[in-house]
Amino acid sequence: MPSPDSPPDRPPGGHVLLAPDRFKGSLTAPEVARHLASGLRRARPEVPIVELPVADGGDGTAEAAIAAGWRRVEVEVRGPTGRPVTASLALDGRDAVVEVAEASGLRRLPGGKPRPLSATSLGTGQLLAHALRLGARRIVLGVGGAACTDGGAGLVQGLGGRLLDALGKELPPGGAALRSLHRLDLRGMPDLTGVRVIVAGEPEGTLLGRNGSAVGQARRRGASREEIRLLDAGLRRWADLAEAASRTSARDLPGAGAAGGVGFAALTFLGATLEPGIALMLDLLGFPAKARGARLVVTGEGTLDAASLRGKAPVGVARAAARAGAPVVAAVGRRGLTGEQARKARFQAVYALTDIEPDAARCMRQAGPLLEQLTVAIADEWLPPPRHAARPRPANPEGPS
């Protein structure tokens, strides 16, 4: 029997919109979209397909914009340990997408070795400076996947600011060094008149305290208990002097703790605003227009669970698809939602790789081929061949039957 939120009939000629996020550790969002498209083209070659990889402000945000047609701009910047890295930003006219993970992310750590005390957001500031030189006047700053806990001090340095100790010497990089901060010299910072900076993320996490950048996040970046104490002391000193210099108070604002405190620096020195990442990105990527008239929307990520309900990309896609009147299903690596949770999140069905391959390690290694195999079940349920006049039977939201 159809569920209360079963989708309306769709015209047989409607397209399928593929709007997945990445499968962390396995596939980027564009790769997920390509595998889904490959499987669906084999199963239903007559169905038009539109690929629109998405992101919610975390790792892969710039790539999602580039996949949607924005121009890739590569620039050499300093990575989280100070080594040069080639990082990308996305540009579309006077709009730019800059991503913390591209320049200052965990994946940029040499050998994956954490540097909790000295990792810097300098390269992110350099990316922002480059976007400004290219004429960007609206900059979206994605703040997921950071390796640093420096309160965005490195970002300020990358934009031309100077952080000085009591002897007038430039501070070394990283959050721990901020305990010796004595003075800020902001004369080299760019004029941001007419520039709008938007932090793409969820409004949670302050700079200091239990949920702050050091206490709440630094352990995930490899910090010990003693190192967390040092980082928190450095961030407190940084907040005192930064707020005095800028005549603002941002340390307690939700989102100030994003990306190890990069959110704080953006709010304090760039006049940034904070917006939910997936909603902002879907608007920038033109999702509403692409979803209009879609026969089906397919989204997904590596793990769809309760954490996904807090602003992650697939749930944002499902809600936006519902507003466009399109049915939406998810193709994921592992399903951690109940049927009721999936329905409330606006998914008509959730299909998981673990439904066809119980070995989680193999799902990680073979995610691409398994996704293509999974599309057979999606096609059978939602894309009947042209000779079938009947509407497809609604799928069980807990997975394919």
Side-chain angles (χ1 to χ4, degrees):
M1 179 178 179
S3 60
D5 56 352
S6 295
D9 287 314
R10 290 271 136 186
H15 64 282
V16 173
L17 177 59
L18 304 178
D21 197 357
R22 65 185 175 129
F23 277 37
K24 186 176 180 180
S26 296
L27 301 169
T28 65
E31 289 170 341
V32 175
R34 284 197 293 271
H35 282 291
L36 288 170
S38 178
L40 285 176
R41 287 191 179 104
R42 287 201 301 269
R44 296 292 185 269
E46 74 283 358
V47 176
I49 293 173
V50 176
E51 297 177 41
L52 187 72
V54 300
D56 56 16
D59 202 343
T61 296
E63 285 297 330
I66 292 164
W70 292 42
R71 178 162 68 97
R72 181 192 298 275
V73 178
E74 293 187 337
V75 57
E76 185 176 284
V77 299
R78 295 292 171 178
T81 63
R83 293 185 182 183
V85 299
T86 300
S88 296
L89 61 88
L91 193 68
D92 183 27
R94 289 185 164 236
D95 291 339
V97 174
V98 173
E99 180 186 324
V100 171
E102 263 293 301
S104 314
L106 292 164
R107 60 186 173 87
R108 295 295 193 180
L109 290 168
K113 183 180 179 181
R115 303 287 181 85
L117 297 182
S118 60
T120 175
S121 57
L122 174 69
T124 299
Q126 293 173 328
L127 270 184
L128 283 168
H130 196 69
L132 291 168
R133 287 193 292 271
L134 293 173
R137 288 299 174 264
R138 181 171 66 158
I139 302 175
V140 174
L141 179 61
V143 289
C148 51
T149 309
D150 69 348
L155 179 145
V156 172
Q157 292 173 307
L159 284 168
R162 300 178 67 215
L163 278 62
L164 307 173
D165 65 15
L167 299 177
K169 295 181 179 179
E170 193 84 23
L171 289 185
L178 294 171
R179 293 173 300 153
S180 300
L181 180 62
H182 182 73
R183 184 169 63 88
L184 278 69
D185 180 354
L186 304 176
R187 290 174 294 180
M189 294 279 286
D191 180 6
L192 295 177
T193 303
V195 177
R196 184 184 178 201
V197 178
I198 308 167
V199 175
E202 290 306 303
E204 56 185 11
T206 56
L207 181 67
L208 305 171
R210 181 176 298 177
N211 297 318
S213 299
V215 178
Q217 302 175 28
R219 188 175 297 278
R220 299 197 299 270
R221 301 186 182 104
S224 66
R225 183 173 298 180
E226 176 59 21
E227 288 171 332
I228 289 172
R229 187 187 67 79
L230 295 175
L231 289 168
D232 196 52
L235 291 176
R236 195 170 299 277
R237 177 68 176 167
W238 165 240
D240 289 342
L241 292 181
E243 290 180 343
S246 63
R247 298 181 181 179
T248 64
S249 181
R251 72 180 73 188
D252 296 324
L253 294 178
V262 166
F264 169 79
L267 293 167
T268 301
F269 295 104
L270 308 183
T273 57
L274 181 73
E275 294 189 17
I278 184 58
L280 176 62
M281 289 305 299
L282 291 179
D283 181 59
L284 285 176
L285 301 177
F287 179 89
K290 291 179 172 66
R292 198 171 300 124
R295 184 176 180 179
L296 181 68
V297 175
V298 183
T299 187
E301 64 178 345
T303 299
L304 187 70
D305 57 16
S308 305
L309 303 177
R310 299 192 292 270
K312 292 295 184 68
V315 174
V317 168
R319 290 170 178 164
R323 288 193 293 272
V328 59
V329 301
V332 304
R334 185 182 69 84
R335 178 179 52 247
L337 295 180
T338 66
E340 182 63 21
Q341 286 174 317
R343 282 188 289 273
K344 286 183 177 179
R346 309 308 291 270
F347 295 108
Q348 270 72 46
V350 178
Y351 300 81
L353 299 187
T354 51
D355 292 332
I356 56 177
E357 174 51 66
D359 186 339
R362 185 168 183 270
C363 284
M364 292 279 289
R365 292 193 307 269
Q366 301 294 323
L370 288 171
L371 271 172
E372 295 182 23
Q373 184 179 339
L374 198 65
T375 60
V376 174
I378 295 174
D380 286 346
E381 292 278 0
W382 295 92
L383 305 170
R387 65 179 181 274
H388 289 181
R391 190 174 79 179
R393 176 173 57 85
N396 181 347
E398 292 194 13
S401 57

